[in-house]
Amino acid sequence: PLAFPQTIDAGIRVAKLGTSSVRYEVGLFAQGQPLCAAKGHFVHVYVDRETRRPVPLPPALKAYLESLT
């Protein structure tokens, strides 16, 4: 368990890279501990500002995120 005022470490990773989306996974750890105490995820879908429709990831961003997987 984690409790206030305990210091925690947080980690994030690219779990899945799609054409227009990225799934990130987040882990929370008691400071200095190897086992995850809590985890979650979120998906970021890239959309066109005007049409609000999904668009491909920008090439430079996709290349960078691929280097993290």
Side-chain angles (χ1 to χ4, degrees), residues 12-69:
I12 187 167
R13 72 177 186 151
V14 174
K16 182 178 178 189
L17 192 55
T19 303
S20 62
S21 65
V22 183
R23 177 186 164 117
Y24 296 98
E25 293 181 343
V26 180
L28 300 179
F29 302 80
Q31 188 175 33
Q33 297 299 309
L35 297 178
C36 185
K39 63 182 178 177
H41 74 274
F42 63 95
V43 177
H44 184 169
V45 178
Y46 287 78
V47 297
D48 180 273
R49 288 181 186 253
E50 293 180 15
T51 65
R52 309 293 281 174
R53 300 294 305 153
V55 294
L57 294 168
L61 176 61
K62 187 169 186 174
Y64 178 73
L65 293 172
E66 285 173 338
S67 75
L68 299 176
T69 56

